[in-house]
C-alpha cells in the first residue's frame, strides 16, 4: 500500500509539472499553500500566509461567474426560472461536465447556478456565461462575459486577478487576498448565499426532444456540517490544488466604524480562504483551525479596537 501511495503521489507531481510546463503558469505543486482569515464587517485580517502571491484558482473562478450572472439577473429583472440552452462551447471539458450536459439540452438558470456554485461544474458555468454574454454581445458572448468578470474584479479591488475564461476549467490567476474580496462580495448577495449554504439540490435537465432527467447535486463544501458555517465554496483542480472559501457567523457587536471613526453595530462574519493545499484533508483541517483560532484572535482584537495599521484590513468597496 505504501509503495502504491508513493507511486500515485509521484504521478500526481509529474502531471502537475507537465501542466506547468505546457501552460507556462506555476501550479499549486510549484508553490507554497496560502491562507487568510479575516472578519468581514470590520475588514480585520487575523491570520495570513502568502496572501498577495498570484496563483491558479481553479474552480473558485466559478464564484465570479455566478456573481456576474446574479448581477445580470438582478439588473435585468431576469427570472431564475429562465430556461437556458446549453451551447456547444459549454461541453469542451468532459471531466468537469458534472451534469453530463449535451449541446441543445435545456436547464433552468436556477439549476445551472446551483451546479456551478455547489460543484466543480464547468459546463453549467459556461452555459450561464453564454446566456448572460449573449445579452451583451451576439458576436462574442464569451468575450463579453469574461470582460464583465474582470470589470467586477477591478471594481471590488481584486488588483492581482486576471480571469482568462468563464469557468474554472480555464486557468485564471488571483491572490488569496483577492479571493477574500470575492468571497465577501459573493456572500452579500442573497441568491449566492442561499445556494452556497445548501447541502443538496435536485436539477432537472430537458433533452432537445423533450425527455427530462433529474440529478441530485450534493454540496462539495464539507464544512457546512459545522454550526454557523454558511458558505462559500470548495474546489479542487490540478492547477490550483485543494482550495476553499468558507464563512461563519456570530451575533452582532458594537464596534468603531473604520470609515467614520464612529460607533456602529456590526454583524460578525469570519471568512477564511485556503488555497493550494496538496490534499482535501489538509484543506479542511487548515480551514477548521483557522475558523476556531480566528474567532479567538477576533475576540482579542476587539478589546484593542485598533484601526491604526491600515495594511491589516481589507475593505470591500461600496
Amino acid at each position: 500500500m505504501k509503495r502504491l501511495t508513493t507511486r500515485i503521489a509521484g504521478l500526481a507531481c509529474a502531471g502537475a509539472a507537465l501542466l506547468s510546463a505546457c501552460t507556462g503558469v506555476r501550479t499549486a505543486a510549484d508553490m507554497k499553500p496560502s491562507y487568510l482569515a479575516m472578519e468581514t464587517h470590520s475588514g480585520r485580517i487575523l491570520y495570513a500566509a502568502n496572501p498577495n502571491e498570484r496563483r491558479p484558482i481553479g474552480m473558485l473562478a466559478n464564484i465570479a461567474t455566478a456573481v456576474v450572472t446574479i448581477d445580470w439577473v438582478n439588473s435585468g429583472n431576469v427570472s431564475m426560472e429562465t430556461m437556458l440552452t446549453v451551447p456547444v462551447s459549454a461541453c469542451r471539458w468532459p471531466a468537469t461536465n458534472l451534469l453530463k450536459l449535451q449541446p441543445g439540452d435545456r436547464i433552468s438558470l436556477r439549476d445551472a447556478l446551483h451546479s456551478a456554485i455547489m460543484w466543480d461544474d464547468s459546463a453549467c458555468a459556461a452555459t450561464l456565461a453564454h446566456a448572460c454574454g449573449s445579452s451583451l454581445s451576439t458576436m462574442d458572448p464569451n468575450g463579453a462575459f469574461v470582460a464583465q468578470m474582470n470589470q467586477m474584479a477591478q471594481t471590488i479591488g481584486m488588483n492581482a486577478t486576471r480571469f482568462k475564461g468563464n469557468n474554472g476549467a480555464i486557468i485564471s490567476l488571483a491572490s488569496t487576498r483577492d479571493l477574500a474580496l470575492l468571497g465577501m462580495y459573493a456572500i452579500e448577495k442573497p441568491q449566492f448565499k442561499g445556494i452556497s449554504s445548501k447541502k443538496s439540490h435536485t436539477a432537472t435537465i430537458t433533452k432537445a426532444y423533450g425527455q427530462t432527467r433529474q440529478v441530485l447535486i450534493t454540496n462539495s463544501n464539507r464544512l457546512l456540517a459545522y454550526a454557523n458555517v454558511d458558505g462559500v465554496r470548495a474546489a479542487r483542480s490540478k492547477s490550483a490544488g485543494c482550495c476553499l472559501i468558507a464563512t461563519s457567523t456570530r451575533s452582532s457587536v458594537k464596534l468603531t466604524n473604520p470609515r467614520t471613526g464612529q460607533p456602529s453595530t456590526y454583524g460578525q462574519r469570519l471568512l477564511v480562504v485556503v488555497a493550494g493545499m496538496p490534499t482535501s484533508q489538509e484543506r479542511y483541517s487548515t480551514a477548521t483551525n483557522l475558523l476556531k483560532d480566528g474567532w479567538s484572535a477576533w475576540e482579542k482584537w476587539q478589546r484593542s479596537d485598533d484601526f491604526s495599521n491600515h495594511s491589516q484590513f481589507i475593505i470591500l468597496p461600496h
Side-chain angles (χ1 to χ4, degrees):
M1 177 64 74
K2 183 176 180 181
R3 290 179 62 190
L4 178 59
T5 302
T6 302
R7 185 181 178 191
I8 292 172
L11 288 171
C13 290
L18 179 61
L19 176 65
S20 179
C22 292
T23 62
V25 175
R26 295 172 67 201
T27 68
D30 306 317
M31 308 171 74
K32 292 182 179 179
S34 175
Y35 63 78
L36 184 145
M38 65 175 295
E39 198 287 313
T40 65
H41 295 284
S42 65
R44 174 68 181 186
I45 300 171
L46 304 165
Y47 294 103
N50 307 315
N52 298 313
E53 186 174 33
R54 296 180 80 208
R55 60 190 310 126
I57 60 173
M59 287 293 175
L60 291 182
N62 278 17
I63 298 174
T65 303
V67 296
V68 170
T69 300
I70 289 169
D71 285 345
W72 168 63
V73 165
N74 292 336
S75 64
N77 198 27
V78 178
S79 171
M80 293 285 278
E81 307 311 320
T82 300
M83 295 302 292
L84 310 180
T85 300
V86 177
V88 173
S89 59
C91 304
R92 289 172 49 198
W93 307 274
T96 50
N97 181 358
L98 301 187
L99 295 182
K100 307 303 180 186
L101 298 176
Q102 297 294 323
D105 286 354
R106 300 178 74 231
I107 184 171
S108 72
L109 194 155
R110 182 187 304 278
D111 286 350
L113 272 172
H114 275 76
S115 197
I117 293 171
M118 295 169 65
W119 271 358
D120 286 346
D121 190 330
S122 61
C124 278
T127 298
L128 290 166
H130 182 81
C132 177
S134 293
S135 70
L136 303 170
S137 170
T138 57
M139 297 294 293
D140 185 13
N142 176 65
F145 187 85
V146 174
Q148 287 294 304
M149 293 173 71
N150 284 304
Q151 179 60 50
M152 177 275 297
Q154 183 179 13
T155 299
I156 68 173
M158 297 174 66
N159 298 324
T161 297
R162 177 64 177 171
F163 290 111
K164 299 292 184 67
N166 60 34
N167 69 85
I170 302 168
I171 298 176
S172 294
L173 303 176
S175 67
T176 302
R177 179 187 182 279
D178 282 7
L179 291 174
L181 283 163
L182 181 59
M184 292 164 67
Y185 185 63
I187 206 68
E188 285 189 351
K189 300 182 181 301
Q191 298 103 317
F192 187 97
K193 181 177 179 294
I195 294 172
S196 71
S197 64
K198 290 176 69 171
K199 294 182 180 179
S200 65
H201 176 80
T202 300
T204 300
I205 298 98
T206 302
K207 303 296 292 182
Y209 47 82
Q211 184 180 1
T212 63
R213 60 185 176 89
Q214 293 186 320
V215 180
L216 179 65
I217 301 167
T218 303
N219 201 318
S220 60
N221 182 3
R222 295 194 340 227
L223 288 189
L224 291 176
Y226 291 83
N228 300 322
V229 174
D230 59 357
V232 174
R233 198 181 194 289
R236 182 174 185 173
S237 66
K238 289 180 180 179
S239 64
C242 295
C243 305
L244 176 73
I245 304 177
T247 68
S248 176
T249 58
R250 285 185 176 180
S251 56
S252 299
V253 65
K254 194 170 186 177
L255 287 175
T256 301
N257 187 313
R259 294 188 181 89
T260 66
Q262 300 300 313
S264 298
T265 299
Y266 286 93
Q268 298 183 90
R269 179 179 291 279
L270 193 65
L271 180 144
V272 302
V273 182
V274 177
M277 289 292 169
T279 68
S280 180
Q281 182 57 42
E282 288 177 273
R283 162 182 59 187
Y284 284 116
S285 62
T286 299
T288 300
N289 289 334
L290 285 171
L291 287 171
K292 179 182 68 176
D293 296 341
W295 282 123
S296 298
W298 166 242
E299 291 166 359
K300 180 178 179 181
W301 177 79
Q302 283 185 77
R303 293 191 287 271
S304 71
D305 199 23
D306 180 10
F307 287 92
S308 59
N309 186 351
H310 296 292
S311 68
Q312 294 299 311
F313 295 86
I314 299 175
I315 303 297
L316 186 68
H318 288 280

